[in-house]
Protein backbone atom coordinates (compact mmCIF):
# COMPACT_ATOMS: atom_id res chain seq x y z
CA UNK A 1 0.00 0.00 0.00
CA UNK A 2 1.39 3.42 -0.83
CA UNK A 3 0.23 6.96 -1.29
CA UNK A 4 1.94 10.00 -2.79
CA UNK A 5 2.00 13.05 -0.53
CA UNK A 6 3.81 16.13 -1.90
CA UNK A 7 7.14 14.60 -2.95
CA UNK A 8 7.11 11.71 -0.51
CA UNK A 9 5.95 8.14 -0.73
CA UNK A 10 5.24 6.03 2.32
CA UNK A 11 5.54 2.30 2.12
CA UNK A 12 4.63 -0.26 4.72
CA UNK A 13 6.22 -3.67 4.87
CA UNK A 14 6.01 -7.17 6.22
CA UNK A 15 8.94 -6.60 8.57
CA UNK A 16 7.15 -3.94 10.65
CA UNK A 17 9.05 -1.02 9.08
CA UNK A 18 7.50 2.22 7.86
CA UNK A 19 9.63 3.77 5.12
CA UNK A 20 9.35 7.31 3.78
CA UNK A 21 10.70 7.65 0.22
CA UNK A 22 11.73 10.70 -1.79
CA UNK A 23 9.98 10.22 -5.12
CA UNK A 24 12.39 12.40 -7.11
CA UNK A 25 15.61 10.71 -5.98
CA UNK A 26 14.09 7.26 -5.33
CA UNK A 27 15.92 7.23 -1.99
CA UNK A 28 14.59 6.12 1.37
CA UNK A 29 14.59 9.25 3.54
CA UNK A 30 13.47 7.57 6.75
CA UNK A 31 13.01 4.01 8.00
CA UNK A 32 11.09 3.55 11.23
CA UNK A 33 10.97 0.19 13.04
CA UNK A 34 7.33 0.91 13.83
CA UNK A 35 5.93 -2.48 14.93
CA UNK A 36 6.99 -5.98 15.93
CA UNK A 37 4.82 -7.48 13.19
CA UNK A 38 3.59 -6.68 9.68
CA UNK A 39 2.05 -3.25 9.15
CA UNK A 40 -1.25 -3.49 7.28
CA UNK A 41 -2.23 0.18 7.09
CA UNK A 42 -0.96 3.71 7.47
CA UNK A 43 -2.39 7.18 7.02
CA UNK A 44 -0.97 10.69 6.93
CA UNK A 45 -2.66 13.46 8.92
CA UNK A 46 -3.79 16.06 6.40
CA UNK A 47 -3.50 18.81 9.04
CA UNK A 48 0.14 18.04 9.93
CA UNK A 49 2.45 16.42 7.36
CA UNK A 50 4.75 15.24 10.16
CA UNK A 51 2.13 12.94 11.71
CA UNK A 52 1.58 9.39 10.45
CA UNK A 53 -0.47 6.57 12.00
CA UNK A 54 0.27 2.86 11.47
CA UNK A 55 -1.83 -0.22 12.20
CA UNK A 56 -0.33 -3.67 12.57
CA UNK A 57 -0.85 -7.39 12.94
CA UNK A 58 0.47 -6.88 16.52
CA UNK A 59 -3.00 -5.40 17.35
CA UNK A 60 -1.65 -1.89 17.97
CA UNK A 61 -2.02 1.51 16.35
CA UNK A 62 1.00 3.81 16.61
CA UNK A 63 1.02 7.54 15.91
CA UNK A 64 4.39 8.88 14.75
CA UNK A 65 5.88 12.36 14.56
CA UNK A 66 8.40 12.15 11.71
CA UNK A 67 10.55 14.86 13.34
CA UNK A 68 11.29 12.50 16.26
CA UNK A 69 10.85 8.79 15.55
CA UNK A 70 12.64 7.30 18.56
CA UNK A 71 9.25 6.31 19.93
CA UNK A 72 5.64 6.80 18.88
CA UNK A 73 3.77 9.88 20.05
CA UNK A 74 1.01 7.50 21.08
CA UNK A 75 0.40 3.77 21.03
CA UNK A 76 -3.24 2.75 21.02
CA UNK A 77 -4.14 -0.71 22.28
CA UNK A 78 -7.53 -2.35 22.55
CA UNK A 79 -8.07 -4.50 19.48
CA UNK A 80 -7.75 -8.26 19.91
CA UNK A 81 -6.89 -9.05 16.27
CA UNK A 82 -4.82 -7.37 13.56
CA UNK A 83 -5.57 -3.77 12.62
CA UNK A 84 -6.92 -3.75 9.07
CA UNK A 85 -7.15 0.01 8.51
CA UNK A 86 -6.28 3.31 10.18
CA UNK A 87 -7.68 6.63 8.97
CA UNK A 88 -7.41 10.20 10.23
CA UNK A 89 -10.59 12.26 10.21
CA UNK A 90 -10.81 14.64 7.25
CA UNK A 91 -12.54 17.15 9.55
CA UNK A 92 -10.67 17.07 12.89
CA UNK A 93 -6.92 16.90 13.47
CA UNK A 94 -7.03 14.82 16.65
CA UNK A 95 -9.50 12.12 15.52
CA UNK A 96 -8.20 8.77 14.28
CA UNK A 97 -10.24 5.65 13.55
CA UNK A 98 -9.06 2.06 13.38
CA UNK A 99 -10.85 -1.08 12.29
CA UNK A 100 -9.72 -4.57 13.06
CA UNK A 101 -10.28 -8.18 12.15
CA UNK A 102 -11.90 -8.45 15.59
CA UNK A 103 -14.92 -6.72 13.95
CA UNK A 104 -14.59 -3.50 15.96
CA UNK A 105 -13.99 0.12 15.04
CA UNK A 106 -12.28 2.32 17.59
Amino acid sequence: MCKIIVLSLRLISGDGTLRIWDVKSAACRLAIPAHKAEILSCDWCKYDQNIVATGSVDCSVCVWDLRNVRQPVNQLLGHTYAIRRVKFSPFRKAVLASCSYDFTVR
Side-chain angles (χ1 to χ4, degrees), residues 19-40:
R19 296 183 186 274
I20 308 297
W21 293 85
D22 183 318
V23 175
K24 284 187 175 182
S25 67
C28 179
R29 294 178 47 206
L30 187 61
I32 305 166
H35 291 271
K36 295 179 181 177
E38 180 180 2
I39 300 171
L40 298 179

Side-chain angles (χ1 to χ4, degrees), residues 12-16 34-41 54-62 79-86 99-101:
I12 51 181
S13 65
D15 66 359
H35 291 271
K36 295 179 181 177
E38 180 180 2
I39 300 171
L40 298 179
S41 181
T54 55
S56 173
V57 172
D58 66 10
C59 304
S60 71
V61 174
C62 291
H79 288 292
T80 56
Y81 286 96
I83 309 298
R84 177 65 186 113
R85 181 95 160 109
V86 293
C99 63
S100 167
Y101 286 112

Side-chain angles (χ1 to χ4, degrees), residues 2 4 14 20 31 36 38 61 64 73 78 85 92-94 98:
C2 61
I4 297 175
I20 308 297
K36 295 179 181 177
E38 180 180 2
V61 174
W64 300 91
V73 172
R85 181 95 160 109
R92 298 189 63 193
K93 179 180 179 178
S98 62

